């Protein structure tokens, strides 16, 4: 097999095999990923051939087929839970199993009593029931407290009556509800003795386990086609309505609240904070998924930019490689660096999850506010940047990026919902901002200050507010201390400025609302500081990274930091934590860094170790055989089944033959 | 019919009927748009029902059907050319006729001799031949000079031999080539007497007019599925290869070059600059299309933001309208203002096109360099902003924006190619930058300075480089002079800084290449100045605008200018044309402007006068009956044809019934 990228690979200045392990996080993780991704890639049942042209019915059917096949493989090969999760991940087709394994089962674990867990978990683990998570409603998204579905307790029969009182109370969006799930945890307002006790979760069976028909009183269907050619269209996101559906009392998830036979609602002694553990877990997964999505896109764009040539031909020679253009580098390399940055902050969230879990078990809730703010903010900033970055990679591939065979359109369409689910990105940043404002208001009272590493810079508020950058020449921007100082001062000053402006408002609430656009920018600054500092920590402190690759991670870290600074230069200059001169030096240093990335670019994306199956891109192929692949893929389109298109006789021939009686001129 | 937006419409402080005319540009334009768009909306043949779930074959067939029907209507009703163009526009489905009318016919007009025009135009006007424009190749996009297809002159037979020597020379992307077009203007390297004379256009017949079969030596097919659910998938963008296809000598388009029987290639006396007229025309159309696309998206997002409620419930009352959140306003209103800004700069380009045409006819080429730079730059900046803005509107609609029934996914997918076609947006900005650098180098020699309004500020270079902003309080930012001063100084200083940095490089070419990322930012600054100044001109000088609406256009103009300043604050501060303090005042003034837009927001999008057919959005409906429509649309999805999905017996039942022999735990 010809390797069209061989010359590029020779240019690399580090050992790509070592970088693969640094990217994966450990030798073990690398080996597992490698083995499972090849297992999936080599199994024809998991082929994605023709996926982009399937009808929705056939696409859903292919999801069902692949899910059943995955289940078969997982059992046949006796895969561990880790391996099974990776296998579903590399199959890379959203479907009902995502909801079953990552929402339904965790909800039972988190909200069910021991008894309830014993009843439902074994069935769910064996997939004898297939479950989902039904929270959002047609008229209500992020605001759980606004949900309208009711669960009215009837003490006469010891049952709840689940009901959808309005059109807008229809459950809307839950994956799997449309056609597949047999059960759902349904969120509804608990009404007992005429009183509204707020939103609780209830286990409701939706479909017969015998013939899959909907149970009496239940209406369910698919909510229609979604963005993208395949993307989430193989998932049956659904609408779900209840017409006085009765369920037994013990189907309320009772770990945190209970209801007695008489209808008295009791709060559990279990601390409510326990649910935060799940939230940190989910956001860690989202951040790591972002690094995967962005690395896939940058892998495609980088390889194709090395293959593609345009302009710059000297004396009839070949045109220049697109990757050599500074305009291409200045858009592509920051995204490549971001993929690495998000990967490492995801690793850190992994650690944080362990730390929070331990603390919660020990009854230590002191780090929760900071953890909540930092995971909310990172989820928001990183999913927004990733969705932007994927589309930017598509544009960096020129016109061919618009073809589904480039892989990029579907990568984008499947990714963008991450900006809305698990907390709308704007709402999340406002939560971060609230935490920052609260922290600033407590700066005088050190005993009240939240604990945790991401906020510790605020304790140096006085110093940061009066600090100036020590950058005099471009190379000074390579010092981690200079970068951190600038990012800390920016975040600090933006937050303080918001706090001051709020304090000039008639009331804090009015001020917060009026200034919310500024508060969001302050929250972003705080989150970008976290990402930068965790990347610096990784490079400086992680002893598992070998020195041969460490300096290239260092380059990427600097690219991430300085390109972020450049993109948000207005922030840095408006709070005067750097001078225009220092901004220009950062720009100069960035150009130098791009020159260092250039020869290593292909190796840096090879380090992701993605199979051609997982990339799913004619442009991103490992061997760089781009044009032949695009060409071959084109002929597979159903439109090429016949030379003469359907409709020729009715709609083309009459024009050409002027058999319309109308003609112009 | 219930109007859920009636309350919003009552809030408007201006007469929406008057604004409709200001938006359309004239009473005549408004009436024509109104009549033709209703004609299309009321014709069931043009219905878009079910479009998002059609297979490619059926989608192409629907394009053919609609195109034939449009042709029938155009002839039956004896529509004028203007009306026919509008009708095709409101049908809003990309197809082969776009290429035929807007590329093939103009190419014959621009590049054909009178004789050639007489031969082919009547056939084309009657659609007895269907043509397209085959320039780009699989391995060659923007760089026309890199094309590989050859047209070798054979004096023995007085013919050209059209040939595709390599895989990468395959024509790739031309619309209509895949399945429909009978003819194409093919761009190929003219080879005569062993010499390469560069790229010329040739009329080549592709398909038999009798049975539509491909002619001998021609291979053509579709290049495959593209981004989006419908979008361009009803267009047969094609691949086209030639195996020594012979065409007569007089099929070379000979207006600008001729070839004799003996094979001598002659340049025409017709000035080459004449082709620039077409270019200005095409870019004017692109800019006006951008304002349409962005206004559609903002119309949907604005109406839905007024309907949608989230959080903020006071004492059990309804939640707050999303449009009342400052975070929503600060993202949505700048896009609304941009739609108006692009509309008016498009009008100005219309004037410019007339002006250039007159000048060219009079042999005056003096304004061409400036016209070329400004149309290139506006195309680039405006299509980039529009494609970003459409996707931002989707995000502003929350999760429901991800449903195709929102109309936004397809609006995005159909729009984004505008960033690549007719000049890649980055390449175009580099051309603007070249022009700016050249202008700066000639600043000392006033006789060499390019003529034209968009560059006149550069003649005040000295003043601008030493000027400071006169803004002291937030209201000062409402003065057009203050806005213009800031935008002019920013553009001027950024260009001059680039020029200085280039002059410090070993060679100008090296410097230009090394600094190209900065040059692009300078070019953007120049283009944004043009947009701002044309908007200001429109509001200040256009006497057709009535005073009742003028002040609201003025508000939008200020929103456009100050939100652009805020977004690029780093530019303004780094070249020190405003102070951080003045930046903060702009931000403060912007908040005040958003408060003024708020009550008028729905009326400002009503002024676009779009039919529900053209909007194609459950969220953007005129009557605001959003949730019932989303609900009804959902049930129409083919996936809801049956309660039990295809694949249940094979892939779900075996799991639930544990008839797999494998089960876990």
């Amino acid at each position: 097999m010809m390797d069209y990228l061989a010359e590029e690979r020779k240019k690399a200045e580090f050992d790509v095999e070592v970088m693969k392990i640094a990217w994966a996080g450990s030798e073990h993780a690398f080996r597992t990923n490698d083995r499972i991704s090849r297992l999936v890639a080599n199994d024809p049942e998991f082929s994605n051939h023709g996926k982009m042209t399937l009808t929705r019915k056939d696409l859903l059917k292919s999801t069902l087929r692949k899910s059943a096949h995955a289940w078969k493989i997982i059992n046949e090969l006796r895969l561990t839970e880790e391996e099974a999760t990776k296998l579903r991940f590399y199959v890379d087709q959203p479907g009902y199993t995502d909801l079953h394994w990552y929402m339904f089962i965790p909800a039972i674990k988190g909200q069910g009593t021991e008894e309830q867990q014993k009843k439902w978990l074994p069935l769910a683990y064996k997939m004898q029931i297939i479950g989902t998570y039904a929270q959002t409603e047609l008229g209500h998204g992020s605001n759980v407290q606004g949900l309208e579905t009711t669960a009215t307790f009837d003490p006469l029969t010891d049952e709840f009556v689940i009901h959808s009182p309005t059109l807008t109370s229809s459950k809307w969006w839950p994956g799997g509800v449309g056609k597949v799930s047999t059960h759902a945890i349904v969120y509804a307002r608990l009404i007992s003795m005429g009183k509204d006790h707020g939103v609780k979760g209830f286990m409701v069976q939706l479909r017969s386990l015998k013939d899959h028909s909907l149970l009496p009183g239940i209406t369910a269907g698919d909510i229609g086609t979604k963005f993208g050619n395949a993307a989430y269209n193989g998932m049956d996101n659904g609408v779900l309505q209840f017409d006085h559906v009765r369920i037994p009392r013990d189907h309320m998830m009772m770990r945190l609240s209970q209801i007695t036979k008489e209808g008295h609602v009791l709060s559990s002694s279990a601390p409510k904070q326990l649910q935060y553990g799940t939230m940190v877990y989910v956001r860690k997964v989202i951040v790591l998924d972002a690094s995967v999505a962005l690395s896939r896109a940058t892998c495609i764009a980088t390889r194709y930019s090395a293959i593609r040539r345009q302009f710059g031909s000297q004396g009839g020679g070949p045109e220049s490689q697109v990757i050599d253009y500074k305009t291409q580098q200045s858009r592509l390399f920051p995204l490549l660096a971001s993929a690495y940055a998000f990967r490492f902050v995801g690793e850190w969230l992994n650690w944080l999850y362990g730390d929070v879990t331990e603390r919660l078990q020990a009854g230590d809730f002191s780090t929760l506010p900071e953890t909540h703010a930092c995971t909310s903010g990172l989820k928001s900033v990183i999913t927004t940047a990733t969705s932007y970055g994927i589309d930017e990679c598509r544009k960096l591939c020129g016109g061919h990026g618009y073809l589904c065979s480039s892989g990029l359109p579907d990568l984008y369409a499947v990714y963008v919902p991450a900006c809305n689910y698990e907390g709308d990105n704007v709402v999340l940043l406002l939560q971060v901002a609230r935490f920052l404002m609260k922290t600033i208001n407590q700066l005088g009272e050190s005993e009240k200050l939240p604990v945790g590493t991401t906020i510790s810079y605020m304790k140096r508020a006085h110093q940061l507010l009066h600090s100036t950058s020590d950058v005099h020449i471009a190379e000074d921007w390579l010092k981690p201390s200079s970068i951190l100082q600038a990012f800390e001062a920016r975040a600090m000053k933006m937050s303080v400025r918001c706090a001051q402006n709020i304090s000039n408002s008639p009331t804090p609430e009015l001020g917060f609302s009026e200034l919310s656009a500024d508060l969001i920018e302050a929250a972003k600054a705080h989150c970008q500081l976290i990402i930068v500092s965790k990347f610096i920590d990784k490079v400086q402190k992680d002893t598992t990274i070998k020195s041969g690759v460490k300096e290239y991670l260092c380059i990427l870290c600097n690219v991430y930091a300085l390109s972020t600074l450049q993109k948000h230069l207005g922030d840095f200059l408006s709070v005067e934590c750097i001078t225009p001169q220092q901004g220009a030096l950062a720009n100069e240093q960035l150009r130098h860094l791009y020159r260092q990335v250039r020869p290593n670019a292909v190796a840096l994306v090879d380090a992701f170790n993605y199979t051609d199956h997982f990339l799913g891109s004619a442009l991103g192929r490992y061997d760089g055989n781009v044009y032949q692949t695009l060409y071959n893929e084109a002929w597979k389109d159903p439109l090429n089944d016949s030379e003469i298109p359907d409709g020729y006789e009715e709609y083309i021939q009459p024009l050409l033959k002027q058999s319309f009686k109308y003609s112009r001129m």
Side-chain angles (χ1 to χ4, degrees), chain A:
Chain A
M1 187 183 78
M2 172 84 175
D3 180 359
Y4 294 84
L5 288 165
E7 284 303 311
E8 283 297 325
R9 296 191 165 110
K10 274 187 216 153
K11 289 180 191 161
E13 297 156 343
F14 60 84
D15 181 350
V16 70
E17 298 303 320
V18 178
M19 189 63 97
K20 282 180 181 174
I21 290 161
W23 169 264
S26 70
E27 182 91 30
H28 167 78
F30 165 72
R31 289 211 182 136
T32 312
N33 291 345
D34 190 62
R35 184 163 44 87
I36 303 290
S37 67
R38 282 170 207 277
L39 180 74
V40 172
N42 295 331
D43 189 331
E45 286 287 322
F46 293 131
S47 158
N48 286 319
H49 175 66
K51 185 164 142 182
M52 298 301 154
T53 53
L54 293 179
T55 63
R56 281 209 71 197
K57 280 185 189 180
D58 287 337
L59 197 55
L60 179 68
K61 195 171 170 184
S62 87
T63 302
L64 301 180
R65 179 176 54 74
K66 288 182 185 178
S67 301
H69 186 67
W71 185 240
K72 180 165 167 279
I73 300 282
I74 287 166
N75 287 291
E76 273 182 352
L77 301 183
R78 302 184 166 277
L79 298 189
T80 63
E81 194 51 48
E82 182 199 5
E83 292 165 333
T85 304
K86 297 233 155 145
L87 183 124
R88 282 188 288 263
F89 174 80
Y90 285 115
V91 170
D92 192 35
Q93 185 153 321
Y96 70 91
T97 52
D98 300 345
L99 280 294
H100 179 78
W101 292 102
Y102 310 129
M103 297 295 283
F104 181 66
I105 288 177
I108 298 173
K109 283 183 178 172
Q111 296 167 47
T113 59
E114 258 178 61
E115 204 178 338
Q116 290 177 318
Q117 296 190 29
K118 260 188 208 150
K119 183 172 170 188
W120 289 311
L121 283 180
L123 294 167
Y125 279 131
K126 289 185 198 162
M127 298 201 85
Q128 288 178 300
I129 59 175
I130 297 173
T132 184
Y133 184 94
Q135 181 182 299
T136 51
E137 297 178 353
L138 181 53
H140 310 277
S142 301
N143 185 12
V144 177
Q145 296 318 314
L147 295 179
E148 295 181 77
T149 304
T150 51
T152 308
F153 183 62
D154 178 357
L156 294 179
T157 60
D158 204 29
E159 289 175 321
F160 292 105
V161 182
I162 310 285
H163 187 61
S164 311
T166 59
L167 177 73
T168 48
S169 73
S170 310
K171 293 292 171 188
W172 193 266
W173 277 116
V177 151
K179 297 288 151 185
V180 180
S181 308
T182 62
H183 288 66
I185 307 280
V186 173
Y187 289 83
R189 315 196 75 83
L190 168 57
I191 313 286
S192 181
M193 302 196 285
K195 207 185 142 205
D196 184 333
H197 295 271
V199 174
K200 315 283 172 195
F202 300 84
M203 175 72 78
V204 184
Q205 184 173 348
L206 309 179
R207 289 181 168 88
S208 154
L209 292 173
K210 215 173 106 214
D211 64 6
H212 210 64
S213 60
L214 288 166
L215 295 187
I218 289 178
T219 303
D222 185 89
I223 58 168
T225 305
K226 288 147 287 187
F227 194 7
N229 305 74
Y232 272 89
N233 287 312
M235 169 84 94
D236 52 326
N237 295 90
V239 49
L240 175 63
Q241 294 168 301
F242 303 96
D243 180 8
H244 300 94
V245 172
R246 287 181 167 264
I247 58 168
R249 179 165 58 95
D250 64 4
H251 278 213
M252 179 170 118
M253 306 308 285
M254 300 240 206
R255 189 168 179 202
L256 298 172
S257 318
Q258 291 87 37
I259 184 163
T260 66
K261 265 200 291 203
E262 298 76 26
H264 295 293
V265 179
L266 312 168
S267 278
S268 155
S269 57
K272 291 209 182 343
Q273 288 92 334
L274 287 180
Q275 37 188 330
Y276 282 101
T278 315
M279 195 198 62
V280 175
Y281 178 80
V282 170
R283 288 180 181 163
K284 172 200 82 166
V285 171
I286 289 177
V287 167
L288 286 171
D289 282 353
S291 74
V292 172
L294 189 55
S295 56
R296 280 166 86 170
T298 53
C299 181
I300 295 168
T302 302
R303 287 181 181 162
Y304 180 50
S305 297
I307 292 290
R308 184 181 173 206
R309 291 171 178 273
Q310 191 124 13
F311 294 108
S313 163
Q314 305 283 347
E319 299 173 285
S320 303
Q321 287 171 280
V322 168
I323 200 171
D324 282 326
Y325 288 102
K326 305 294 173 183
T327 48
Q328 191 82 355
Q329 294 178 6
S330 66
R331 294 162 75 199
L332 179 58
F333 294 167
L335 298 175
L336 177 57
S338 299
Y340 276 89
F342 301 164
R343 166 82 215 161
F344 296 140
V345 84
E347 264 184 19
W348 173 74
L349 284 175
N350 216 3
W351 170 85
L352 186 70
Y353 172 63
D355 182 64
V356 165
T357 309
E358 268 180 39
R359 283 174 192 267
L360 289 178
Q361 281 162 357
D364 169 8
F365 306 132
S366 65
T367 60
L368 275 184
E370 186 237 356
T371 302
H372 181 251
C374 110
T375 56
S376 301
L378 289 173
K379 184 270 174 186
S380 174
V381 165
I382 288 175
T383 56
T384 297
T386 297
S387 107
Y388 168 82
I390 295 168
D391 211 38
E392 186 75 354
C393 285
R394 182 183 59 69
K395 291 177 190 157
L396 287 167
C397 291
H400 297 346
Y402 190 64
L403 282 170
C404 287
S405 56
S406 77
L408 292 164
D410 221 51
L411 199 52
Y412 184 67
V414 86
Y415 191 76
V416 290
C419 296
N420 289 105
Y421 63 55
E422 286 298 316
D424 177 87
N425 278 356
V426 171
V427 175
L428 289 178
L429 287 175
L430 287 173
Q431 292 174 5
V432 177
R434 272 200 195 280
F435 168 75
L436 294 173
M437 292 307 101
K438 203 173 159 193
T439 303
I440 284 181
N441 289 333
Q442 295 170 341
L443 276 180
E445 312 154 80
S446 61
E447 75 287 357
K448 283 196 189 169
L449 272 185
V451 181
T453 58
T454 65
I455 208 72
S456 52
Y457 72 100
M458 287 214 164
K459 294 175 190 158
R460 289 182 278 116
H462 186 78
Q463 176 212 328
L464 287 172
L465 291 174
H466 299 90
S467 69
T468 53
S469 171
D470 63 354
V471 168
H472 299 292
I473 55 168
E475 288 70 37
D476 287 341
W477 276 119
L478 300 177
K479 289 187 292 185
S481 60
S482 298
I483 288 173
L484 280 176
Q485 193 276 339
F487 275 83
E488 287 177 349
R490 165 208 183 205
M492 190 76 234
K493 290 181 174 186
M494 288 177 77
S495 276
V496 166
R497 187 168 62 178
C498 285
Q500 283 167 343
N501 287 339
I502 289 174
S503 70
N504 293 333
S505 301
T507 71
E509 264 323 291
L510 267 177
F512 193 90
S513 150
E514 183 64 21
L515 293 160
S516 50
D518 293 351
L519 283 158
I520 278 179
E521 298 307 315
K524 283 184 198 164
H526 172 70
C527 299
Q528 286 167 350
L529 164 62
I530 298 175
I531 301 170
V532 166
S533 65
K534 296 305 159 197
F535 203 158
I536 289 177
D537 280 357
K538 172 82 187 176
V539 180
Q540 290 199 320
K541 298 181 189 161
D542 188 333
T543 51
T544 66
I545 300 182
K546 301 212 178 137
S547 64
V549 304
K550 187 177 262 184
E551 58 191 291
Y552 296 93
L553 291 178
C554 203
I555 291 171
L556 291 175
C557 176
N558 288 327
V559 167
Y560 178 77
L562 296 184
S563 63
T564 302
L565 183 148
Q566 190 186 40
K567 200 171 168 189
H568 296 270
L569 187 59
D571 285 357
F572 288 86
L573 294 178
S574 69
V575 297
E576 301 181 73
C577 61
I578 66 169
T579 64
Q581 208 55 39
Q582 289 166 330
L585 292 173
N587 196 14
E588 189 186 325
Q589 185 53 48
L590 208 41
R591 283 201 299 272
H592 188 64
L593 289 165
Y594 294 156
R595 271 197 296 275
Q596 296 178 285
V597 173
R598 168 63 189 92
N600 299 292
V602 168
L604 284 167
V605 301
D606 284 350
F608 304 145
N609 197 42
Y610 294 141
T611 63
D612 282 343
H613 169 272
F614 188 61
L615 282 178
S617 168
L619 303 181
R621 284 171 66 93
Y622 183 83
D623 67 6
N625 192 7
V626 165
Y627 296 115
Q628 189 65 53
T629 311
L630 276 175
Y631 185 83
N632 295 348
E633 286 300 314
W635 290 104
K636 293 178 189 162
D637 197 277
L639 216 49
N640 288 324
D641 289 350
S642 65
E643 188 176 315
I644 313 292
D646 286 1
Y648 164 71
E649 288 82 4
E650 305 97 300
Y651 308 121
I652 301 178
Q653 202 179 47
L655 295 181
L656 296 171
K657 307 251 164 160
Q658 295 294 293
S659 41
F660 272 137
K661 52 178 191 271
Y662 329 93
S663 73
R664 311 189 73 208
M665 275 203 49

